[in-house]
Amino acid sequence: MSSTRAADQNPFTVRQLIAPLLAVIIGMFMVILDSTVVNVALPKLVKDFHTTVPIIQWTVTGYTLALSAVIPLAGWMTDRFGAKQIFLVTIALFTLGSVLCSLATSPEQLIVYRVIQGLGGGMVAPIGMAMVFRLAPPEKMGSIMGMLGVPMLLAPALGPVLSGYLVEYVSWHWIFLINLPVGILAIIVGVKFLPKFERKAVPSLDILGIILAPIAFAMLAYGVSEGGKSWSSTETLTGLIVGGVALLLFIFVELRQKQPLLELRVFQSSDFTRGIFIAWISQIALFGAILLMPLYLQQVREYTPLESGLTVLPQALASGLFMPIGGRLFDKIGARPLVIIGLSVITGALFMLSNIAVDTASWFILTALTMMGAGMGLSMMAINTHVLQAAPRKLVSRVTPLTTAAQQVMVSFAVAGLTGYLTSRITDHMPEAKDLVKASVAAYGDTFLVAACIAAAGALLGIILRRPKPQVEAPVEGTDQSNSAMMMNH
């Protein structure tokens, strides 16, 4: 009674969460940013290392595979060793990997160091989101997750701008070295302001799960990334078949475990299943389109890396502006209207981009990108927060690795699938266009149209969303289900 009365006398305010939220945002921003900065630098790396594109491409693929492999471990690690401790260790490992990357003198070294980066970075997002979710009260969840979503949407768009500038005017080494002060800052803020969460009694590690999950996620990501070159190649088929079989075995094993590595039973919640399915569709449309635009600007319009990065900046600014707005509206009206409106705006923007030509005015492209950013800001965090709220609160630390791992696979699928479609459409248009530029423009239009249709399907499916029923759970003594405001004093 006394603790309840104390909570009533000291009601929760968002200001109490700013310091721990800052630590999570800095860490997540750094990791997500690094997923896009290398793409712009690839031509420079090929030249400096005197190597080929297929070899240097493994700096991206290796990073993605490492991310996919460790994500499933996040839930067990946080339960066993504590969320704060593991979050700080992963930030430190990522920062160390970044410094090593800046010192690489051969492609092989860079690939190995990028894998170290990925092993550290993979757990940062799921652990960070789970910590914030456990700190924030349900009635403020939309606002808090809206703030957390800003780095998730800003980082991919700002990455090409920062990388383009550093590669053109400084050195490619700095796209990695810049993580050192940021990583140190994240660790200092985290040590000082992140609260300590109670560790949970965990069973012995799910050995079969820990073997099958990395194989499933890494091989599927590998198969899909190779599919961008050819869906019938030995590498693609091997990745998809091995990953698919491992995934089926993993699902079978996890459903029989009392304490599984990834909590798949959460799919029994129809609200969760509907939400995550729509999230997957929107991620395929969004992240595929985010990749296509810089490619179009550099390959067709012959922009420099910095110019293309600056062109997509309005998208980042619009998403950053509308993300907090979407978060506040989520608390009042729920996810359904935001998802429908946001994905409808994205659909309109992608339909506009499907009509691009060689001489399309810059204002037309900027308008479409700004619309896409606004739609992302409104819809993405709404659907992600809906998915977390639909899961049992006690399982959140296990659900965020599940959703993050699935998103990694979906993003890989989007990038590889749309890139593969783009390549095939260029080939199809060549006999008629008889010019590579004209064929490329037509192919980009076709690919943006496919992305628009995917986004439209997501907007229509948004109709089936509903507010998750309030979860009434008996508080467990000694756990972290106490009042969020009180937890800040741990």
Side-chain angles (χ1 to χ4, degrees), residues 50-292:
H50 307 291
T51 185
T52 62
V53 172
I55 291 177
I56 212 69
Q57 186 69 36
W58 274 97
T59 61
V60 177
T61 305
Y63 180 77
T64 305
L65 298 185
L67 282 177
S68 304
V70 299
I71 287 169
L73 295 175
W76 187 88
M77 295 283 280
T78 52
D79 286 349
R80 175 68 178 83
F81 300 104
K84 177 177 179 177
Q85 290 85 339
I86 296 300
F87 184 78
L88 295 175
V89 168
T90 55
I91 292 288
L93 182 60
F94 181 86
T95 306
L96 172 64
S98 299
V99 174
L100 290 173
C101 285
S102 73
L103 300 174
T105 57
S106 69
E108 293 76 18
Q109 284 184 9
L110 186 59
I111 292 166
V112 171
Y113 298 153
R114 284 283 283 169
V115 169
I116 293 173
Q117 258 193 321
L119 293 175
M123 290 193 221
V124 170
I127 294 174
M129 288 182 68
M131 284 194 294
V132 172
F133 193 87
R134 289 158 76 181
L135 284 171
E139 69 276 6
K140 295 285 186 182
M141 192 61 65
S143 302
I144 301 302
M145 295 302 281
M147 293 169 65
L148 184 64
V150 172
M152 297 177 69
L153 290 185
L154 277 179
L158 291 177
V161 180
L162 178 64
S163 179
Y165 175 80
L166 291 174
V167 169
E168 276 190 50
Y169 297 108
V170 190
S171 162
W172 67 262
H173 301 82
W174 278 92
I175 65 176
F176 300 112
L177 200 56
I178 198 170
N179 288 332
L180 178 60
V182 180
I184 292 172
L185 178 63
I187 291 171
I188 292 172
V189 176
V191 168
K192 188 169 183 180
F193 295 111
L194 279 176
K196 287 186 178 180
F197 294 96
E198 296 289 339
R199 298 182 190 181
K200 297 179 181 178
V202 291
S204 56
L205 186 59
D206 174 9
I207 299 298
L208 274 176
I210 202 176
I211 293 172
L212 289 170
I215 293 174
F217 287 117
M219 289 305 290
L220 282 174
Y222 172 71
V224 170
S225 66
E226 289 296 312
K229 304 169 190 172
S230 169
W231 287 105
S232 57
S233 69
T234 304
E235 292 84 357
T236 301
L237 294 175
T238 301
L240 294 179
I241 291 170
V242 173
V245 171
L247 181 62
L248 291 174
L249 289 173
F250 176 70
I251 291 171
F252 177 75
V253 167
E254 294 304 279
L255 291 177
R256 294 171 64 89
Q257 286 275 358
K258 289 183 179 179
Q259 294 287 337
L261 194 64
L262 287 184
E263 189 50 78
L264 301 182
R265 295 181 186 88
V266 75
F267 280 99
Q268 292 173 350
S269 163
S270 62
D271 290 328
F272 178 88
T273 305
R274 293 174 191 180
I276 199 167
F277 185 66
I278 294 170
W280 289 344
I281 292 175
S282 62
Q283 285 157 4
I284 290 173
L286 274 173
F287 289 100
I290 287 173
L291 171 86
L292 289 174

Side-chain angles (χ1 to χ4, degrees), residues 461-475:
L461 285 172
I463 297 170
I464 67 175
L465 286 177
R466 62 185 184 188
R467 278 181 180 264
K469 296 175 183 176
Q471 298 174 26
V472 181
E473 297 180 26

